[in-house]
Amino acid sequence: MAQPRYLPALGQSLSKWEAIAIALNTGNEANRRRLTDARVPGAFDEAGLGAVLASLDERDADFVQSVWDYLAAFQRDIATREKRLTGIAPQWVEPTPVTIAGKALKGGYYPLAYDSADAGPDRAQALVSGRVAKSQTEAGHGRSRADLKAQPLDLDIAVLHRHVNHLLYDLEFCEPLANARRLLDDPTLADVFARTKNFVALRRLETWLEEAGARELRAADSIGRMARLVKKNPTATSIANDLATLLSHRYRLDDIIAAAGRGDFATALQSALRPGIINQVTIRSSLMLGRQAFSDARTAWETLARWLEGTLRYCFIEIPAWLAHYQKGLKQFGGDEAKAIAYADTAMEQAIFKPFPAQSGGGETLRLFKALGAHLAEKFKASAAGIKQSAAAIDQSAEVTDQDAAARQGITLAMDLIALAMTDRVFTAALGGHDHDTTWPAYLAEHTGYSVMAALPAIRDAQSPPAGTANDAKTLVKAIRPARGDLGIGNEHITEILEATGLSAESPADAMLSGANADLARIAGR
């Protein structure tokens, strides 16, 4: 399903999932119009769209219509909510008939999502306003600011899973969150906080409300993000995925998840991606505070690679594992904070750190990291050179672009891509390969925000992270032109590079993706 197939009539390769995603966007006029928008580079003409649909069979046609029918099944709940809030029954998106594999399909609604869009930071506001449910109505579909721009559609099947996940939260939490927001915005309440000079409490309530609306959605949205970036730079994403696979084996990822408890680890993942969570953990645990330290190496490249390896293990494996044990401690000791912290620290020492110590990075990791960094650095330098030439054509006195600074941006992007790939590996290991366990979906639905996102093909079909080897890494390294000199990277640039990574942001889950999206678009000249 994920294997690309070349379509001669289209002149490009598509996987079966990509072809199905395209078909899903043909069920109504608004989506189909965006598929064929001539203002968008790479848009389909009618002949090309017909070639994609012709590549599908009857089973695919049945699946496409079943998705439209499934989304239509939410109309009753959406209508009930809208009539309760506005007193008016919504009008629905009008289906457009389409024929696939000789089967006449009636069409239906499918969410509009864009390849360059990153709505992550606005999750809480979208939830409070009921924006996701409204997108299924005629008044809301294709009416947002993003919909009015000429930009390519996101043709990843994860669009469906993200929409359903957000829709479920919208229907469940929109009204209580909106009511709480109105209460906090009431001038009378604000006057009370002002008179008592208790602004800290008000800010805590506002922060809690924002977090309540976005916490589990943020965690679920972190799944499968590398798939959205593959087309923007297949070489870079391939290297990042291979390096993440190597690291997951070195970290003994599967063993650590099993030691922490798979269900407890999966539950803790959604907290581990919350802004500020590392500070909260290190304030409680001196053991985890000490795990943040790392030492400089002989060269800037080695220092960056060492920091990256340590940070990925710490943020995406050790922090969730500690939180899993901490929550178990709270349950075991009746909410006693001190005992829960001591329990988590002891469990990490005995079940995680001693059996699965952090290992040395190894030469193949450094070589692969340097290959990816060099590849993206050259892309940034080429982009910077193009900008300089364009500026010089207009103004002969244009300032010369700092090519070394552009190269350092490429290395920052490399680190973010590796971090995104590692996030996918952790989610795959924690959630995937459990089709034989009928209780697993129910557990995810009850304890996490992953019940929908765990159905993604990459997660659902996974038994373990793909088996990467040092030889795989060496093969990829040889395929990349080696770096010329040091690419302007010295010890004096380490802090600049690290501070620019999404991993250093307050909300790394969002920052890594938004930064990677923007940077990949830049080096692609868009």
Side-chain angles (χ1 to χ4, degrees):
M1 294 290 287
Q3 185 67 34
R5 299 175 300 165
Y6 183 72
L7 302 181
L10 189 62
Q12 68 182 77
S13 297
L14 293 174
S15 71
K16 176 61 76 72
W17 280 124
E18 288 173 325
I20 287 175
I22 292 168
L24 286 167
N25 279 282
T26 64
N28 64 79
E29 191 271 336
N31 289 62
R32 190 181 183 105
R33 185 171 62 248
R34 283 160 179 78
L35 274 179
T36 57
D37 188 341
R39 299 173 299 166
V40 177
F44 298 97
D45 56 23
E46 287 300 327
L49 186 56
V52 174
L53 298 183
S55 72
L56 301 175
D57 58 30
E58 291 186 4
R59 293 174 302 171
D60 302 325
D62 290 338
F63 174 77
V64 168
Q65 185 60 60
S66 73
V67 169
W68 290 329
D69 292 343
Y70 173 67
L71 293 175
F74 288 100
Q75 290 180 358
R76 184 176 66 177
D77 292 329
I78 296 171
T80 299
R81 204 270 302 278
E82 291 299 298
K83 284 191 287 186
R84 185 166 58 246
L85 294 178
T86 68
I88 302 172
Q91 299 295 312
W92 306 110
V93 174
E94 188 69 27
T96 300
V98 60
T99 299
I100 299 177
K103 304 192 76 166
L105 309 181
K106 62 178 180 288
Y109 164 83
Y110 191 72
L112 284 166
Y114 299 97
D115 194 32
S116 59
D118 178 26
D122 200 25
R123 293 184 191 94
Q125 180 57 37
L127 202 55
V128 168
S129 65
R131 191 183 305 162
V132 180
K134 290 175 182 175
S135 73
Q136 294 205 192
T137 70
E138 182 62 35
H141 187 56
R143 303 282 198 260
S144 72
R145 290 182 180 178
D147 292 327
L148 300 178
K149 298 178 182 178
Q151 52 186 330
L153 288 175
D154 185 349
L155 298 177
D156 183 358
I157 196 66
V159 166
L160 170 63
H161 297 80
R162 285 196 298 269
H163 174 77
V164 172
N165 207 50
H166 283 239
L167 178 59
L168 292 172
Y169 275 83
D170 186 317
L171 292 172
E172 185 72 21
F173 295 117
C174 168
E175 290 177 272
L177 287 174
N179 290 336
R181 179 75 268 171
R182 281 193 289 269
L183 181 62
L184 290 180
D185 289 342
D186 188 282
T188 305
L189 185 63
D191 288 342
V192 172
F193 281 105
R195 286 198 307 271
T196 59
K197 298 183 179 180
N198 203 356
F199 298 107
V200 173
L202 177 60
R203 181 55 192 153
R204 284 177 179 172
L205 284 171
E206 291 173 338
T207 301
W208 169 84
L209 183 62
E210 292 172 1
E211 188 61 24
R215 174 183 171 185
E216 293 189 0
L217 289 179
R218 180 191 302 111
D221 285 353
S222 299
I223 300 175
R225 294 175 301 179
M226 282 296 283
R228 300 171 60 183
L229 303 177
V230 170
K231 284 190 173 182
K232 297 181 180 180
N233 194 313
T235 300
T237 51
S238 176
I239 296 175
N241 281 324
D242 271 37
L243 181 49
T245 298
L246 287 170
L247 294 177
S248 70
H249 291 311
R250 179 172 298 123
Y251 297 155
R252 303 280 295 277
L253 175 59
D254 281 335
D255 293 328
I256 289 177
I257 290 174
R262 189 171 298 275
D264 293 311
F265 189 93
T267 303
L269 265 179
Q270 60 191 21
S271 295
L273 295 173
R274 198 170 71 227
I277 188 62
I278 292 178
N279 286 337
Q280 294 179 34
V281 170
T282 53
I283 287 171
R284 290 171 169 82
S285 169
S286 58
L287 173 70
M288 296 302 291
L289 177 62
R291 300 288 295 182
Q292 286 186 302
F294 82 100
S295 58
D296 290 341
R298 293 177 303 168
T299 68
W301 278 106
E302 290 173 313
T303 299
L304 290 170
R306 183 179 295 180
W307 179 89
L308 181 62
E309 283 197 79
T311 301
L312 293 180
R313 175 176 166 121
Y314 183 73
C315 292
F316 300 136
I317 300 177
E318 293 182 4
I319 289 292
W322 189 91
L323 289 170
H325 289 299
Y326 171 71
Q327 291 298 326
K328 285 189 282 190
L330 288 176
K331 293 176 184 177
Q332 182 172 331
F333 300 109
D336 189 306
E337 175 86 359
K339 290 183 178 179
I341 293 170
Y343 174 88
D345 285 350
T346 301
M348 290 296 289
E349 284 278 19
Q350 296 179 354
I352 306 297
F353 298 149
K354 289 181 180 179
F356 315 116
Q359 299 178 1
S360 174
E364 74 277 7
T365 300
L366 179 60
R367 286 193 295 272
L368 194 53
F369 172 55
K370 289 185 72 172
L372 178 57
H375 170 71
L376 291 172
E378 290 296 330
K379 295 289 186 181
F380 266 92
K381 289 172 74 171
S383 174
I387 293 173
K388 184 184 74 171
Q389 291 171 2
S390 297
I394 300 172
D395 181 1
Q396 294 298 321
S397 63
E399 183 177 346
V400 176
T401 304
D402 186 343
Q403 296 261 313
D404 285 341
R408 294 195 289 275
Q409 288 179 296
I411 295 168
T412 298
L413 173 57
M415 298 178 84
D416 279 343
L417 286 177
I418 294 166
L420 286 170
M422 191 65 209
T423 311
D424 277 1
R425 289 289 176 266
V426 173
F427 276 113
T428 300
L431 305 181
H434 295 284
D435 286 348
H436 60 282
D437 185 354
T438 57
T439 65
W440 185 241
Y443 178 90
L444 293 176
E446 182 178 355
H447 297 283
T448 78
Y450 306 135
S451 55
V452 174
M453 296 304 290
L456 276 170
I459 298 292
R460 186 196 62 222
D461 300 334
Q463 298 301 318
S464 63
T469 67
N471 287 333
D472 295 334
K474 291 175 183 177
T475 300
L476 275 170
V477 169
K478 290 178 181 178
I480 301 296
R481 183 172 58 184
R484 298 200 299 265
D486 61 4
L487 287 174
I489 304 304
N491 289 327
E492 68 273 18
H493 302 121
I494 290 175
T495 300
E496 170 196 340
I497 292 171
L498 296 186
E499 288 180 348
T501 66
L503 276 171
S504 300
E506 181 181 1
S507 182
D510 292 329
M512 290 185 303
L513 181 60
S514 60
N517 262 321
D519 286 344
L520 287 172
R522 176 181 169 185
I523 62 180
R526 292 188 286 106

